[in-house]
Amino acid sequence: MSLNAKIPSGRLAEKWSNHIKDIKLVNPNNKRKYRIIVVGTGLAGASAAATLSELGYQVECFCYQDSPRRAHSIAAQGGINAAKNYQNDGDSVYRLFYDTIKGGDFRSREANVYRLAEISTNIIDHCVAQGIPFAREYGGYLANRSFGGAQVSRTFYARGQTGQQLLLGAYSALCKQIEGGGVTMRPRTEMLDLVVIDGHAKGIVVRDLVSGKITSHVADAVVLATGGYSNVYDLSTNARGCNVTAAYRAYKKGAYFANPCFTQIHPTCIPISGDYQSKLTLMSESLRNDGRIWVPKKKGDDRPPNEIPEEERDYYLERKYPSYGNLAPRDIASRSAKEVCDQGHGVGPGGFGVYLDFKDAIQRLGRQVIKERYGNLFEMYRNITGENAYEVPMRIYPATHYTMGGLWVDYNLMSNLPGLFVIGEANFSDHGANRLGASALMQGLADGYFILPYTIGDYLATQRQPRPSSDHSAFKEAEKNVSEQTKCFLSIQGERTVQSFHRELGTIVWNLAGMARNEAGLKEALTKIPELRNEFWRNVKVPGDDDTINQQLEKAGRVADFLEFAELLCYDALTREESCGGHFREEHQDDNGEAIRDDATFSHVSAWEFQGNDAKPTLHQEPLEYTEVKMATRSYK
Amino acid sequence: MDLKLKVWRQKNPESPGGLVDYDATGVNPDMSFLEMLDVVNEGLIEKGEDPIAFDHDCREGICGSCSLTINGIPHGPQKAIATCQLHMRHFENGQTVVIEPFRARPFPVMKDLIVDRGRFDQIIEAGGYISARTGSAPEANSIPIPKQTTDRAMDAAECIGCGACVAACPNASAMLFVGAKVTHLNSMPQGRPERDRRVLKMVASMEEAGFGNCTNTFECVAACPKEIKGEVMAQMYRDYVKALFRQAIRPE
Ligand SMILES: Cc1cc2nc3c(=O)[nH]c(=O)nc-3n(C[C@H](O)[C@H](O)[C@H](O)COP(=O)(O)OP(=O)(O)OC[C@H]3O[C@@H](n4cnc5c(N)ncnc54)[C@H](O)[C@@H]3O)c2cc1C
Ligand code: FES
């Protein structure tokens, strides 16, 4: 079946402004009669909750952390893009739009991406008005830096803590609304089910993570802003608590999950040091500007790096991509690292690492210059590894960083379930098969501040569904299911910890559906994952009770969902028989190892519909049509 | 290496807590402190015991979730890092490590090492914002702001809201936390219209929440993982006095 994205008619550049004109409005006096649930307080959720409350809606907002300010968006480092053209270097809305479409390897929706680029400038205006201390030049005007995938300098930043500052801005706006009574904030509360009545999303069921109480929350519309699912790999650059639970349980209630196999692997992370590893730390890609990447030519060479002579080193990126060298794009750099490590050339514990060497740069530019450019990163590296990168090369390895897939939404950011809106990293987003740096923050804030507050009004003004009471049988049934699942986890009393299952799952998905995928591997994953899931439900051990803080119980629910979701991811990867962006199918590459897209067959969004626990999901396609850009092949030789 | 842990265990806010001994064996020096606790917890679960509860999320020193007092020092012995950034190579084989929650009356213990820091949110709700309705902003570059001004605001805005300052202070004062937000917002031109209301309301909220007074011991500054400077407290005090004065001569 073909999905209707409800893209407004008209010229690309006029779609959004026309749409705003056509959109139905809710009378200001009526707004306060509507109740909206926002799950998530990251950039997307906090900005949406604050703005909806400013408009007069009653908002109830949820997050699993102890404070909305701690959402994972806080960790974003590099910056946020906007087509301001302050550098006079030829940037424009069109160029940002084009870069994003091309970066996404022509697998995103043209009209959404154009709107994103258009709104990007309003975001910066608004964030400055909130007092966000963006970096400035001596003249007092805003400064920019450049980022991968763009030839202009359009990234706004606040030191290495852009996400933190943007989130604190959205959080402060949210706090103002909480104080004013427009938002009821429920921290340490986890959404465990979506309630759908007569086809419309009407509320959620949550567990209070302190008291263990399971309660229903009714609304006229539900907004999910629950972030990405990188932690399906167990180890990723995401915060430990990031999960797929809210999105996945909405999927089980009928929302379509789009492009789950589009995941992004970041090439420069600090490698795993042992099996106790709990997360992977990202280091800015800018390091590749001056560092040279190599591995020993001899397999299993365990000499200290400085004792390996020049002629016994393989600078594999420089060798394979002479013109881009160490600056090859994220996916290519990541895959090449995996390749050399799989061949036995990897360095460090377990052989999963490559060297990033600054010796030449230090000789050429002096230690001081390197310190000025990367001092904080060298410090961070030393803090984690105990090694001094001025003296010995850094060790790096790729890690999962971002997920482009997510719940399917139309142009109004509404899922196929009326009344369920999905924003931020949780939706299948505007990034196609690959996201460009500094574009996730832009998308989260565009969705939350400037798009959803309009489009949700259109739904509320036109829908005629009464708001049910929380005694409705659909809520009672959802509460019962959630509480049974909780009790079930505690009753299994098997032999293995939740984390041991998460680690094993992560290893399967990383090895078979990570940086490179092939048919045999994906099929293997599709048999191993259900086996592991079966064992989980027989043999997991969750200690404690369900009426106090129980972090193992929380994690059990998240891992249970990952154990199902991983299968969907692999199935999507198996059916997408082409290579595009972060999805690299080994069968679809040219002689030089470059990805081969199949535009004739796969120029669509794959949106999956849940059909039951043991049944295959049904595929719905949204065809992708490009009216203003020509599809082109990427080349970085 | 092997360590002897003494960990604060407390079932819930009502029940009394106490230190319990655990052995952490085979600790790898490359582990982070929280990974060491993860491994201890895995062992406890396997033995059928309740694992140690502690707050954490980003594990890279930015979300402000982690909150342990290690050998009497909030966030442990290393300077300018949060607990999650502390690594085991800074400990010695055989060492005894005492792990307690952040202790302060306004931060009641909820379970084991988890405390309730909700009062920090309340202080921000009282005035830690600039009222700028979405859609009302002028062009971003219409107000130039000297680089030194934003740099100073940014120094203060780096606060991660972890509460180590309160835990370190003998009076459980939240002056560093409040001072940091006041300094950030009051030094930006966009924050000027509300600067008096902001500081008055935030200080009132801080006092109401039961945080103590500052007696200039500067333990807060020593414990801060982001090295927020003590001068933010002076700025807050100045702004407060000026606001009181202006209010007295020209009430709102
Ligand atoms: C290390 C790192 C650096 C990055 N740097 C950049 C960068 O420089 N530029 C850029 O553009 N992007 C960057 N990104 C990506 C970007 O940070 C994220 O994509 C973005 O912040 C996601 O925002 P969000 O609002 O969608 O979700 P999140 O910030 O992840 O928020 C999710 C929210 O949902 C809540 N939640 C989740 N599940 C539930 C549930 N079941 N019940 C209740 N609440 C729930 C959480 O509590 C949280 O409040 C980076 C990512 C990482 C990991
Ligand atoms: S876990 Fe986020 S600051 Fe320590």
Side-chain angles (χ1 to χ4, degrees), chain A residues 529-580:
Chain A
I529 296 165
E531 281 167 19
L532 185 66
R533 188 167 65 233
N534 287 341
E535 190 193 340
F536 175 86
W537 284 106
R538 265 196 343 267
N539 198 22
V540 72
K541 183 165 191 160
V542 182
D545 310 309
D546 65 355
D547 58 357
T548 56
I549 295 180
N550 186 339
Q551 295 172 314
Q552 290 297 313
L553 185 61
E554 294 164 27
K555 187 164 166 78
R558 295 173 193 157
V559 172
D561 291 330
F562 279 136
L563 279 163
E564 292 184 19
F565 171 74
E567 213 179 325
L568 182 67
L569 188 160
C570 293
Y571 191 56
D572 184 45
L574 182 67
T575 47
R576 187 169 281 276
E577 293 184 52
E578 64 161 350
S579 294
C580 59

Coordinates of all heavy atoms in Angstrom, one line a residue, chain A residues 529-580:
Chain A
I529 N 18.4 -13.6 16.9 CA 17.7 -12.6 17.8 C 16.5 -13.3 18.5 O 16.3 -13.2 19.7 CB 17.3 -11.3 17.0 CG1 18.6 -10.6 16.6 CG2 16.5 -10.4 17.9 CD1 18.4 -9.5 15.6
P530 N 15.6 -14.0 17.7 CA 14.5 -14.6 18.4 C 15.0 -15.7 19.4 O 14.3 -15.8 20.5 CB 13.7 -15.3 17.2 CG 14.2 -14.7 16.0 CD 15.5 -14.1 16.2
E531 N 16.1 -16.4 19.1 CA 16.6 -17.3 20.1 C 17.0 -16.6 21.4 O 16.6 -17.1 22.5 CB 17.8 -18.1 19.5 CG 17.5 -19.2 18.5 CD 18.8 -19.6 17.8 OE1 19.9 -19.4 18.3 OE2 18.6 -20.2 16.7
L532 N 17.7 -15.5 21.2 CA 18.1 -14.8 22.4 C 16.9 -14.3 23.2 O 16.8 -14.3 24.4 CB 19.0 -13.6 22.0 CG 19.6 -12.8 23.1 CD1 20.6 -13.7 23.9 CD2 20.4 -11.6 22.6
R533 N 15.9 -13.8 22.4 CA 14.7 -13.3 23.0 C 14.0 -14.4 23.8 O 13.5 -14.1 25.0 CB 13.8 -12.7 21.9 CG 12.6 -12.0 22.5 CD 11.9 -11.2 21.4 NE 11.3 -12.0 20.4 CZ 11.5 -11.9 19.1 NH1 12.3 -10.9 18.6 NH2 10.9 -12.7 18.2
N534 N 13.9 -15.5 23.2 CA 13.3 -16.6 24.0 C 14.0 -16.9 25.3 O 13.4 -17.1 26.3 CB 13.2 -17.9 23.1 CG 12.2 -17.8 22.0 OD1 11.3 -16.9 22.1 ND2 12.3 -18.6 21.0
E535 N 15.3 -16.9 25.1 CA 16.1 -17.2 26.4 C 15.8 -16.1 27.4 O 15.7 -16.4 28.6 CB 17.6 -17.3 26.1 CG 18.3 -17.8 27.3 CD 19.8 -17.7 27.4 OE1 20.4 -17.6 26.3 OE2 20.3 -17.7 28.5
F536 N 15.7 -14.9 26.9 CA 15.5 -13.7 27.8 C 14.2 -14.0 28.7 O 14.2 -13.9 29.9 CB 15.4 -12.5 27.0 CG 15.0 -11.2 27.8 CD1 16.0 -10.5 28.4 CD2 13.7 -10.8 27.9 CE1 15.6 -9.3 29.1 CE2 13.3 -9.7 28.6 CZ 14.3 -8.9 29.3
W537 N 13.2 -14.4 28.0 CA 11.9 -14.5 28.7 C 11.9 -15.8 29.6 O 11.0 -15.9 30.4 CB 10.7 -14.6 27.7 CG 10.4 -13.2 27.2 CD1 10.7 -12.7 25.9 CD2 9.8 -12.1 27.9 NE1 10.3 -11.3 25.9 CE2 9.8 -11.0 27.0 CE3 9.3 -12.0 29.2 CZ2 9.2 -9.8 27.4 CZ3 8.7 -10.8 29.6 CH2 8.7 -9.7 28.7
R538 N 12.9 -16.7 29.4 CA 13.0 -17.8 30.3 C 14.0 -17.6 31.4 O 13.8 -18.1 32.5 CB 13.5 -19.0 29.5 CG 12.4 -19.9 28.9 CD 13.0 -21.3 28.4 NE 14.5 -21.3 28.3 CZ 15.1 -21.0 27.1 NH1 14.5 -20.8 26.0 NH2 16.4 -21.1 27.0
N539 N 15.0 -16.9 31.1 CA 16.2 -17.0 31.9 C 16.7 -15.6 32.5 O 17.8 -15.5 33.0 CB 17.3 -17.6 31.1 CG 18.4 -18.2 32.0 OD1 18.2 -18.5 33.2 ND2 19.6 -18.4 31.4
V540 N 15.9 -14.6 32.3 CA 16.4 -13.3 32.8 C 16.2 -13.2 34.3 O 15.3 -13.8 34.9 CB 15.8 -12.1 32.1 CG1 14.3 -11.9 32.6 CG2 16.6 -10.8 32.4
K541 N 17.1 -12.5 35.0 CA 17.0 -12.4 36.4 C 16.8 -10.9 36.8 O 17.7 -10.1 36.6 CB 18.3 -12.9 37.1 CG 18.2 -12.9 38.6 CD 19.3 -13.8 39.1 CE 19.1 -14.0 40.6 NZ 19.9 -15.2 41.0
V542 N 15.6 -10.5 37.2 CA 15.4 -9.1 37.6 C 15.1 -9.1 39.1 O 14.1 -9.6 39.6 CB 14.2 -8.5 36.9 CG1 14.0 -7.1 37.3 CG2 14.4 -8.7 35.4
P543 N 16.1 -8.6 39.9 CA 15.9 -8.6 41.4 C 14.9 -7.5 41.8 O 14.5 -6.6 41.1 CB 17.3 -8.3 41.9 CG 17.9 -7.5 40.8 CD 17.3 -7.9 39.5
G544 N 14.6 -7.5 43.1 CA 13.8 -6.4 43.7 C 12.3 -6.5 43.5 O 11.8 -7.5 43.1
D545 N 11.7 -5.4 43.8 CA 10.2 -5.3 43.8 C 9.8 -4.3 42.8 O 10.6 -3.6 42.2 CB 9.7 -4.8 45.2 CG 10.3 -5.6 46.3 OD1 10.3 -6.8 46.2 OD2 10.9 -5.0 47.2
D546 N 8.4 -4.2 42.6 CA 7.9 -3.3 41.6 C 7.3 -2.0 42.3 O 6.7 -1.2 41.6 CB 6.9 -3.9 40.7 CG 5.7 -4.4 41.4 OD1 5.6 -4.3 42.6 OD2 4.8 -4.8 40.7
D547 N 7.5 -1.9 43.6 CA 6.9 -0.7 44.2 C 8.0 0.3 44.8 O 7.7 1.1 45.7 CB 5.9 -1.1 45.3 CG 6.6 -2.0 46.4 OD1 7.8 -2.3 46.2 OD2 5.9 -2.4 47.3
T548 N 9.2 0.2 44.3 CA 10.2 1.2 44.7 C 11.1 1.5 43.4 O 10.8 0.9 42.4 CB 11.2 0.6 45.7 OG1 11.8 -0.6 45.1 CG2 10.6 0.3 47.0
I549 N 12.1 2.3 43.6 CA 13.0 2.5 42.5 C 13.6 1.2 42.2 O 14.2 0.5 43.1 CB 14.1 3.5 42.9 CG1 13.4 4.9 43.1 CG2 15.2 3.6 41.8 CD1 14.4 6.0 43.5
N550 N 13.5 0.7 40.9 CA 14.1 -0.5 40.5 C 14.7 -0.4 39.1 O 14.1 -0.6 38.1 CB 13.1 -1.7 40.6 CG 13.7 -3.0 40.4 OD1 14.8 -3.1 39.8 ND2 13.0 -4.1 40.8
Q551 N 16.0 0.0 39.1 CA 16.6 0.3 37.8 C 16.8 -0.9 36.9 O 16.7 -0.8 35.7 CB 18.0 0.9 38.1 CG 17.8 2.3 38.8 CD 19.2 2.9 39.2 OE1 20.0 2.2 39.8 NE2 19.4 4.2 38.9
Q552 N 16.9 -2.1 37.5 CA 17.0 -3.3 36.7 C 15.6 -3.6 36.0 O 15.6 -4.1 34.9 CB 17.4 -4.5 37.6 CG 18.8 -4.5 38.1 CD 19.8 -4.5 36.9 OE1 19.7 -5.3 36.0 NE2 20.7 -3.6 37.0
L553 N 14.6 -3.3 36.7 CA 13.2 -3.5 36.1 C 13.0 -2.6 35.0 O 12.5 -3.0 33.9 CB 12.2 -3.3 37.2 CG 10.7 -3.6 36.9 CD1 10.5 -5.0 36.5 CD2 9.8 -3.2 38.1
E554 N 13.4 -1.3 35.1 CA 13.3 -0.4 34.0 C 14.1 -0.9 32.8 O 13.6 -0.8 31.7 CB 14.0 1.0 34.4 CG 13.2 1.7 35.6 CD 14.1 2.8 36.2 OE1 15.0 3.4 35.5 OE2 13.9 3.1 37.4
K555 N 15.3 -1.3 33.1 CA 16.2 -1.8 32.0 C 15.6 -3.0 31.3 O 15.7 -3.2 30.1 CB 17.6 -2.0 32.5 CG 18.6 -2.3 31.4 CD 20.0 -2.1 31.8 CE 21.0 -2.8 30.8 NZ 21.2 -2.0 29.6
A556 N 15.0 -3.9 32.1 CA 14.4 -5.1 31.5 C 13.4 -4.8 30.5 O 13.3 -5.4 29.4 CB 13.8 -6.0 32.6
G557 N 12.5 -3.8 30.8 CA 11.5 -3.4 29.8 C 12.1 -2.9 28.5 O 11.7 -3.2 27.4
R558 N 13.2 -2.1 28.7 CA 13.8 -1.5 27.5 C 14.5 -2.6 26.7 O 14.4 -2.6 25.4 CB 14.8 -0.4 27.9 CG 14.1 0.8 28.6 CD 15.1 1.8 29.2 NE 14.3 2.7 30.1 CZ 14.9 3.4 31.1 NH1 16.2 3.3 31.3 NH2 14.1 4.1 31.9
V559 N 15.2 -3.5 27.4 CA 15.9 -4.5 26.6 C 14.9 -5.5 25.9 O 15.1 -5.9 24.8 CB 16.9 -5.3 27.5 CG1 17.5 -6.5 26.9 CG2 18.0 -4.3 28.0
A560 N 13.8 -5.7 26.6 CA 12.8 -6.6 26.0 C 12.3 -6.0 24.7 O 12.1 -6.7 23.7 CB 11.6 -6.7 26.9
D561 N 12.2 -4.6 24.6 CA 11.7 -4.0 23.4 C 12.9 -4.0 22.4 O 12.6 -4.2 21.2 CB 11.3 -2.6 23.7 CG 10.0 -2.5 24.4 OD1 9.2 -3.4 24.3 OD2 9.8 -1.6 25.2
F562 N 14.1 -3.8 22.8 CA 15.2 -3.9 21.8 C 15.3 -5.3 21.2 O 15.6 -5.4 20.0 CB 16.5 -3.5 22.5 CG 16.8 -2.1 22.7 CD1 17.3 -1.6 23.9 CD2 16.6 -1.2 21.6 CE1 17.6 -0.2 24.0 CE2 16.9 0.2 21.8 CZ 17.3 0.7 23.0
L563 N 15.0 -6.3 22.0 CA 15.1 -7.7 21.5 C 14.1 -7.9 20.4 O 14.2 -8.8 19.6 CB 14.9 -8.7 22.7 CG 16.1 -8.9 23.6 CD1 15.7 -9.5 24.9 CD2 17.1 -9.8 22.8
E564 N 13.0 -7.2 20.4 CA 12.0 -7.3 19.3 C 12.3 -6.4 18.2 O 12.3 -6.7 17.0 CB 10.6 -7.0 19.8 CG 10.1 -8.1 20.8 CD 8.6 -7.8 21.3 OE1 7.9 -7.1 20.6 OE2 8.3 -8.4 22.3
F565 N 12.7 -5.2 18.6 CA 12.9 -4.1 17.6 C 14.1 -4.5 16.7 O 14.1 -4.3 15.5 CB 13.2 -2.8 18.3 CG 13.7 -1.7 17.3 CD1 12.8 -1.2 16.4 CD2 15.0 -1.4 17.3 CE1 13.2 -0.2 15.5 CE2 15.4 -0.4 16.4 CZ 14.6 0.2 15.5
A566 N 15.1 -5.2 17.3 CA 16.3 -5.5 16.5 C 16.0 -6.4 15.3 O 16.6 -6.3 14.2 CB 17.3 -6.3 17.4
E567 N 15.0 -7.2 15.5 CA 14.5 -8.1 14.4 C 13.9 -7.2 13.3 O 14.2 -7.5 12.1 CB 13.5 -9.0 14.9 CG 13.5 -10.4 14.3 CD 12.5 -11.3 14.8 OE1 12.2 -11.2 16.1 OE2 11.9 -12.1 14.1
L568 N 13.2 -6.2 13.6 CA 12.6 -5.3 12.6 C 13.7 -4.6 11.8 O 13.7 -4.5 10.6 CB 11.7 -4.3 13.3 CG 10.9 -3.3 12.4 CD1 9.9 -4.1 11.5 CD2 10.2 -2.3 13.2
L569 N 14.7 -4.2 12.6 CA 15.8 -3.5 12.0 C 16.5 -4.4 10.9 O 16.8 -4.0 9.8 CB 16.8 -3.0 13.1 CG 18.0 -2.1 12.7 CD1 18.5 -1.4 14.0 CD2 19.1 -2.8 12.0
C570 N 16.8 -5.6 11.3 CA 17.5 -6.5 10.4 C 16.6 -6.9 9.2 O 17.1 -7.0 8.1 CB 17.9 -7.8 11.2 SG 19.1 -7.5 12.4
Y571 N 15.3 -7.0 9.5 CA 14.4 -7.4 8.4 C 14.3 -6.3 7.4 O 14.4 -6.5 6.2 CB 13.0 -7.7 9.0 CG 12.1 -8.3 8.0 CD1 12.4 -9.5 7.4 CD2 10.8 -7.7 7.8 CE1 11.5 -10.1 6.5 CE2 10.0 -8.3 6.9 CZ 10.3 -9.5 6.2 OH 9.4 -10.0 5.3
D572 N 14.3 -5.0 7.9 CA 14.3 -3.9 7.0 C 15.6 -3.8 6.2 O 15.6 -3.6 4.9 CB 14.1 -2.6 7.8 CG 14.1 -1.3 7.0 OD1 13.3 -1.4 6.0 OD2 14.7 -0.3 7.3
A573 N 16.7 -4.1 6.8 CA 18.0 -4.1 6.2 C 18.1 -5.2 5.1 O 18.7 -5.1 4.1 CB 19.1 -4.3 7.2
L574 N 17.4 -6.3 5.4 CA 17.5 -7.4 4.5 C 16.7 -7.1 3.2 O 17.1 -7.4 2.1 CB 16.9 -8.7 5.2 CG 16.9 -10.0 4.3 CD1 18.3 -10.5 4.1 CD2 16.1 -11.1 5.1
T575 N 15.5 -6.5 3.4 CA 14.7 -6.2 2.3 C 15.2 -5.0 1.4 O 14.8 -4.9 0.3 CB 13.2 -5.9 2.7 OG1 13.3 -5.0 3.8 CG2 12.5 -7.2 3.2
R576 N 15.9 -4.1 2.0 CA 16.5 -3.0 1.3 C 17.7 -3.4 0.5 O 18.8 -3.3 1.1 CB 16.7 -1.7 2.1 CG 17.1 -0.5 1.3 CD 17.1 0.8 2.1 NE 15.7 1.3 2.4 CZ 15.1 2.1 1.5 NH1 15.6 2.5 0.4 NH2 13.9 2.5 1.8
E577 N 17.6 -4.0 -0.6 CA 18.7 -4.6 -1.4 C 19.4 -3.5 -2.2 O 19.4 -3.5 -3.4 CB 18.2 -5.7 -2.2 CG 17.7 -6.9 -1.3 CD 17.4 -8.1 -2.1 OE1 18.2 -8.5 -3.0 OE2 16.3 -8.6 -1.9
E578 N 20.0 -2.6 -1.5 CA 20.8 -1.5 -2.2 C 21.7 -1.0 -1.1 O 21.5 -1.3 0.1 CB 19.9 -0.4 -2.7 CG 19.1 0.3 -1.6 CD 18.6 1.7 -1.9 OE1 19.0 2.2 -3.0 OE2 17.9 2.3 -1.1
S579 N 22.7 -0.2 -1.4 CA 23.5 0.5 -0.4 C 23.1 2.0 -0.6 O 23.1 2.5 -1.7 CB 25.0 0.3 -0.7 OG 25.3 -1.0 -0.5
C580 N 22.8 2.6 0.6 CA 22.6 4.0 0.6 C 22.9 4.6 1.9 O 22.6 4.0 2.9 CB 21.2 4.4 0.2 SG 19.9 3.7 1.2

